[in-house]
Amino acid sequence: MSTTASTVAPARGSGVAVDHATPALGPLGLFTVLLGAALPLIDFFIVNVALPSIDHDLAAGPAVLELVVAGYGLSYAVLLVLGGRLGDLFGRRRLFLVGMAAFGLTSLACGLAPDAWTLVGARVAQGAAAALMLPQVLATIHSSTTGARRAKALSLYGATGGLAMVAGQILGGILVAADLAGSGWRAIFLVNVPVAVAGLLLAVRTVPETRSQGPAPVDVPGTLLLGLALLTLLAPLTEGRASGWPLWTWISLGIFPFAAAAFWRVELRADRRGRTPLVPPSLLGLVSLRRGLALVVPFSIGFGGFMFVIAVALQQGLGLGAVISGLALVPMAVAFFGASLAGPRLVRRWGTRIVTVGGLLQALGIGLLALAAWRSWPDLSAWSLLPGMAVAGLGQGLQQPVLFRVVLSDVPAERAGVGSGVLVTAQQSALALGVATLGSLFLSLAASGSMGTALTVTLLVQLAAVVLTVLLSLRLPRVVS
């Protein structure tokens, strides 16, 4: 089957699509869209190890540094569902190309930023570009693969996502330490430019065009209200501690529940009137999607918080260099990748119970890391972290790819963009929430006592989230398509 087969787009205004051929995503096309999935996730985490260098070079200060991280995550999370809807409407390859080009340009702007506030603005734009690109990846996989090929592609997507999040900090450490041509921290952004160019050239030739057979117009009220809800929750939580919890943070948190309730009422009303809301409540009626998301959220909160906290603890607490801090995560990355590749075969035999096993292994790994921090600080080393990192990575690799499959297993192909947008929005919002909540907890404890104690307590809080995912995993459908 040719990788260039494509759907015939519906005539404008007809509301009916004529689909004469199922587009096929070949190996090189899969590699290309996975590259597009890796870039946004790498850049979510790559700045963690570069923050001290950015602060030194641009005199940013704690509050602005938080915005360098949070600005990207906020625009990314707020616009993801809209990105999925636009892909359904205008074509997923087209939006993938637009997003990839914009990501390359905004990465260049980040790398050339002359001051801290310009960097913040470029990071917000970079997050928006990522939100156009990433939803098209899952939607393209979901609509252009079937059966075993889809299961393998989703497993590779999960492996890519987990590796990208860990590799971001490893790569960031190496690039900052290498100081390529005197670029220092700027290299972590500039390296995206040639990668984006390569991705564009590959995508034009290898990624099939797909779109919804019945594309719906953009749900403007739903988009605005979802953006308001996410913004009023994530902005104060990410900026509050660094800014000293000014009045605006409490007002924002007070607005959040009303914005969330208004969003849900607008979506319900649109659904009842036969329109297509941004997040259709009927889609959330799918048991597999609803129960899968219930695990994705606490899993991602823990993962996002852990990656931020471990970077700060190793660099600022132990004084380790960026390279050593990044390399401490290698055992987690290797174990995650190996478990992800084994996932499809294990799921065929054991079903979603493999998620429960993965949760138990992750709990053991986090427990080992907490024990090492409690017993060895301030003499904690990358070697003493190795067993916990490896076991935790193994457990995470058994969970994340399978959860993605569960969430999307019953989503119809014509709603792949919406389903993918909901999934990645939940994931990215939870990652940002993890950085905000666990990061704030860790930094607050560290400011008033030992950073070793702060790391131990934060890991134990994450352990509680892992226990929750283990319990929730027992409610997953046993078999996943």
Side-chain angles (χ1 to χ4, degrees), residues 260-271:
F263 166 72
W264 188 245
R265 290 188 65 180
V266 164
E267 299 300 274
L268 280 174
R269 187 181 303 120
D271 214 12

Side-chain angles (χ1 to χ4, degrees), residues 298-386:
F299 177 89
S300 300
I301 287 174
F303 200 109
F306 172 82
M307 298 300 291
F308 176 79
V309 166
I310 202 68
V312 175
L314 294 182
Q315 288 190 90
Q316 297 184 13
L318 297 179
L320 300 181
V323 173
I324 299 300
S325 299
L327 292 178
L329 297 169
V330 168
M332 177 176 284
V334 172
F336 190 107
F337 187 67
S340 299
L341 293 182
R345 179 169 48 84
L346 295 173
V347 169
R348 283 195 298 270
R349 183 170 183 180
W350 302 105
T352 56
R353 289 297 174 261
I354 199 67
V355 176
T356 306
V357 174
L360 292 171
L361 285 171
Q362 186 188 5
L364 175 61
I366 298 298
L368 289 173
L369 290 172
L371 181 63
W374 177 63
R375 295 182 60 179
S376 302
W377 194 275
D379 300 317
L380 192 65
S381 67
W383 286 109
S384 59
L385 292 173
L386 191 152

Side-chain angles (χ1 to χ4, degrees), residues 4 6 9 72 105 133 169 204 222 226 248 311 329 432 444 456 461 477:
T4 58
S6 62
Y72 176 88
L105 290 173
M133 179 169 58
Q169 292 190 192
V204 168
L226 177 62
W248 73 263
L329 297 169
S444 298
T456 304
V461 172

Side-chain angles (χ1 to χ4, degrees), residues 65-465:
L65 284 178
E66 290 272 3
L67 281 176
V68 171
V69 178
Y72 176 88
L74 284 171
S75 62
Y76 189 16
V78 165
L79 296 173
L80 274 167
V81 176
L82 178 61
R85 174 61 60 83
L86 292 175
D88 285 350
L89 186 61
F90 296 110
R92 291 154 190 152
R93 182 178 68 173
R94 182 179 299 176
L95 263 292
F96 182 83
L97 291 170
V98 171
M100 179 73 78
F103 193 83
L105 290 173
T106 52
S107 295
L108 180 63
C110 289
L112 299 179
D115 54 63
W117 283 106
T118 303
L119 178 59
V120 170
R123 283 284 283 172
V124 171
Q126 189 187 35
L132 288 179
M133 179 169 58
L134 185 62
Q136 318 316 326
V137 176
L138 271 175
T140 298
I141 290 173
H142 194 65
S143 58
S144 59
T145 59
T146 57
R149 291 180 65 243
R150 179 184 294 175
K152 181 179 180 181
L154 287 175
S155 294
L156 287 172
Y157 175 88
T160 300
L163 271 179
M165 290 186 275
V166 179
Q169 292 190 192
I170 298 173
L171 180 62
I174 293 172
L175 288 173
V176 170
D179 193 22
L180 301 174
S183 59
W185 59 267
R186 297 177 186 275
I188 68 174
F189 300 115
L190 296 176
V191 73
N192 292 333
V193 178
V195 176
V197 171
L200 284 169
L201 295 175
L202 284 170
V204 168
R205 298 182 59 86
T206 65
V207 177
E209 181 64 283
T210 65
R211 66 183 67 189
S212 174
Q213 293 184 7
V218 173
D219 174 13
V220 175
T223 300
L224 293 176
L225 285 170
L226 177 62
L228 179 64
L230 290 174
L231 192 64
T232 52
L233 174 66
L234 296 177
L237 289 178
T238 51
E239 274 296 291
R241 186 203 59 82
S243 303
W245 297 104
L247 180 61
W248 73 263
T249 60
W250 298 109
I251 293 174
S252 181
L253 287 172
I255 292 172
F256 164 69
F258 297 100
F263 166 72
W264 188 245
R265 290 188 65 180
V266 164
E267 299 300 274
L268 280 174
R269 187 181 303 120
D271 214 12
R272 292 192 188 113
R273 292 179 178 178
R275 301 172 188 163
T276 305
L278 188 70
V279 180
S282 56
L283 196 65
L284 297 179
L286 297 173
V287 173
S288 55
L289 184 140
R290 188 173 65 251
R291 293 185 180 178
L293 286 179
L295 270 81
V296 168
V297 169
F299 177 89
S300 300
I301 287 174
F303 200 109
F306 172 82
M307 298 300 291
F308 176 79
V309 166
I310 202 68
V312 175
L314 294 182
Q315 288 190 90
Q316 297 184 13
L318 297 179
L320 300 181
V323 173
I324 299 300
S325 299
L327 292 178
L329 297 169
V330 168
M332 177 176 284
V334 172
F336 190 107
F337 187 67
S340 299
L341 293 182
R345 179 169 48 84
L346 295 173
V347 169
R348 283 195 298 270
R349 183 170 183 180
W350 302 105
T352 56
R353 289 297 174 261
I354 199 67
V355 176
T356 306
V357 174
L360 292 171
L361 285 171
Q362 186 188 5
L364 175 61
I366 298 298
L368 289 173
L369 290 172
L371 181 63
W374 177 63
R375 295 182 60 179
S376 302
W377 194 275
D379 300 317
L380 192 65
S381 67
W383 286 109
S384 59
L385 292 173
L386 191 152
M389 288 285 188
V391 176
L394 182 64
Q396 290 161 349
L398 291 176
Q399 293 175 83
Q400 181 169 289
V402 182
L403 289 176
F404 288 169
R405 283 181 61 186
V406 170
V407 170
L408 296 176
S409 59
D410 295 326
V411 176
E414 65 271 14
R415 304 176 89 180
V418 178
S420 302
V422 170
L423 170 57
V424 293
T425 297
Q427 182 197 25
Q428 299 308 315
S429 300
L431 287 172
L433 191 59
V435 173
T437 53
L438 293 180
S440 293
L441 171 66
F442 170 76
L443 293 172
S444 298
L445 292 172
S448 58
S450 163
M451 192 171 285
T453 301
L455 177 60
T456 304
V457 171
T458 306
L459 287 170
L460 291 176
V461 172
Q462 185 191 355
L463 182 59

